[in-house]
Amino acid sequence: MPVVFSGIQPTGVPHLGNYLGAMRQWKQLQDNAPDDTELLFSIVDLHAITMPRDAPVLMQHKREMLAALIAIGLDPKKSTMFYQSSVPEHTELMWILSCTASMGYLGRMTQWKAREFDDTVAAQLKLGLFSYPVLQAADILVHRATHVPVGADQLQHLEFARECVTNFNSAYGPHLIAPQTITTPSSRVMSLVNPLNKMSKSVPNHRSRILITAPPEEIQQRIMGAVTDSQYAVTYEPAIRPGVANLLEILAQCATATTIATGGEYRGDVAATPPTPATLAQAFAGMHLGDLKKAVVNAVTQELSGVRERFEDALNRGGGKYLDNIQAEGAERARENAAETMRIVRDAVGLSAV
Ligand code: AQP
């Protein structure tokens, strides 16, 4: 039976990058996967504390993330949604995997290396930051996931998870399943203020991102104010015009014939095949950058239409009980799965009670 697992950190309301790079694909998988597919989506709160967080804020962010998943169309009857810390088997398996995981491999992971060589942060580096790929591997392996949808920046971590399977299985027997990657076809959404950096939840400048709960006026302000360059023409040249390329990439990912036709003056037929940023740039030839921005405003507004209302409804319904119940039921289902794996793992390692 196919088992799809993916996770997202509760570090704030998700933005357009999280949505196009991960969450939208989760919804597509939910709607199109064969009926016997098990879908698990975890709000990975243990990953969010590699830097200390204010406890009430973390609690709030977890609820907001759950509400966001429901708002984009995940259905608790089809997709199991739960907080990672509600399923302690994740951390138990992490420890067991740590005992066969290679420190050398972990030390070569990009996110560690980037910080290790930065003198200003190196002195404050914590063990959790070094070892979190092991927890990520445990998240996946404890559910015997066969498929993991990830963005390109996560490929290295998936490779490490497979390495954990090889190490564990060669020590204790073929008990863990190596997952396959489902790569998100979308390109990275970049900051609207500095298009050389990715759009991110934790960057202080709010103008750099569009939250999936943004009202239409805010979407308009952010996109019309996006940093591009001083040329008026629309061309797709990511290396020299990253701001314009980012807008074309967002448009290509959100575009449908209707949204394109109602933005700018472009009336081309893009319904048959999804447009590429390059073909969109050709379609905007002779038009102004402002026309492109208007088309992006329309496409993003349409793509996110209704999300804000569904988000507020999920957060407030039943005075918060609605979300509590979804998480409790999700955690229970996830624990059944994880407990089964841990029975096998404990037996293999010699940790069973009897
Ligand atoms: N800008 C982006 N474009 C495309 N995909 C993105 N993702 C994140 N940013 C972009 C994808 O979203 C998924 C969940 O991400 P996460 O919240 O677990 O962690 P992150 O990658 O660190 O995301 P942020 O928004 O940048 O959060 P902070 O600022 O808290 O670190 C992943 O699949 C990721 O690829």
Side-chain angles (χ1 to χ4, degrees):
M1 179 178 77
V3 180
V4 173
F5 175 90
S6 201
I8 190 159
Q9 293 193 55
T11 41
V13 175
H15 51 70
L16 187 66
N18 299 130
Y19 173 73
L20 294 175
M23 297 163 73
R24 185 169 72 164
Q25 196 190 22
W26 299 359
K27 156 102 172 100
Q28 285 163 354
L29 280 166
Q30 173 190 272
D31 296 348
N32 301 308
D35 284 347
D36 65 341
T37 307
E38 190 171 351
L39 298 146
L40 296 130
F41 300 112
S42 181
I43 294 166
V44 290
D45 47 359
L46 294 168
H47 287 286
I49 59 165
T50 50
M51 297 294 279
R53 305 272 306 278
D54 188 45
V57 173
L58 179 58
M59 291 299 296
Q60 177 64 15
H61 283 172
K62 286 162 65 168
R63 298 182 72 75
E64 286 175 353
M65 185 55 81
L66 186 54
L69 294 182
I70 290 158
I72 61 122
L74 291 191
D75 175 354
K77 293 197 184 71
K78 298 180 186 161
S79 295
T80 300
M81 290 171 263
F82 64 101
Y83 300 148
Q84 181 189 29
S85 60
S86 303
V87 182
E89 285 81 357
H90 286 235
T91 37
E92 185 185 357
L93 183 59
M94 182 208 178
W95 174 253
I96 295 174
L97 294 177
S98 299
C99 297
T100 51
S102 153
M103 289 218 356
Y105 197 134
L106 280 169
R108 289 191 295 277
M109 310 281 282
T110 320
Q111 263 165 298
W112 175 257
K113 277 191 86 152
R115 292 189 171 93
E116 189 189 19
F117 293 110
D118 180 341
D119 289 342
T120 53
V121 293
Q124 287 138 36
L125 289 174
K126 305 289 187 242
L127 178 61
L129 186 68
F130 183 72
S131 61
Y132 90 83
V134 189
L135 180 57
Q136 225 174 22
D139 296 338
I140 298 163
L141 304 179
V142 84
H143 294 292
R144 302 184 296 287
T146 54
H147 295 84
V148 183
V150 288
D153 54 346
Q154 294 291 322
L155 289 178
Q156 198 183 29
H157 292 143
L158 249 290
E159 207 40 63
F160 178 75
R162 282 191 280 271
E163 169 82 5
C164 287
V165 172
T166 307
N167 292 345
F168 179 92
N169 285 354
S170 58
Y172 296 111
H175 300 295
L176 295 180
I177 298 167
Q180 283 177 42
T181 308
I182 308 176
T183 316
T184 312
S186 60
S187 46
R188 254 178 169 199
V189 178
M190 307 309 278
S191 157
L192 298 175
V193 170
N194 179 354
L196 297 177
N197 293 334
K198 73 165 192 158
M199 189 176 282
S200 174
K201 293 189 223 86
S202 50
V203 165
N205 190 340
H206 292 269
R207 287 185 298 119
S208 66
R209 57 185 163 259
I210 296 170
L211 299 185
I212 62 166
T213 53
E217 320 77 76
E218 192 173 298
I219 296 175
Q220 177 166 19
Q221 274 166 8
R222 298 277 152 90
I223 292 171
M224 296 310 284
V227 169
T228 47
D229 52 38
S230 53
Q231 290 180 51
Y232 290 131
V234 178
T235 58
Y236 184 59
E237 297 169 278
I240 52 172
R241 305 192 70 196
V244 181
N246 189 33
L247 292 176
L248 285 163
E249 281 158 11
I250 293 173
L251 184 58
Q253 292 178 65
C254 295
T256 62
T258 332
T259 56
I260 300 268
T262 52
E265 287 170 28
Y266 174 57
R267 296 283 187 277
D269 175 17
V270 292
T273 49
T276 65
T279 53
L280 282 174
Q282 283 163 14
F284 277 91
M287 288 193 235
H288 196 274
L289 212 45
D291 297 320
L292 170 64
K293 286 187 169 178
K294 278 188 221 155
V296 178
V297 170
N298 282 331
V300 172
T301 306
Q302 183 156 321
E303 184 70 44
L304 297 180
S305 125
V307 169
R308 180 183 179 78
E309 291 74 16
R310 291 192 293 274
F311 174 83
E312 295 294 341
D313 175 62
L315 262 188
N316 299 319
R317 206 190 293 182
K321 288 263 180 318
Y322 173 66
L323 287 184
D324 292 344
N325 290 341
I326 289 175
Q327 135 67 20
E329 282 166 24
E332 198 181 315
R333 277 211 301 267
R335 281 203 77 172
E336 278 170 26
N337 238 5
E340 175 59 25
T341 308
M342 289 316 297
R343 259 193 299 279
I344 297 167
V345 167
R346 283 194 213 107
D347 280 351
V349 178
L351 296 170
S352 307
V354 286

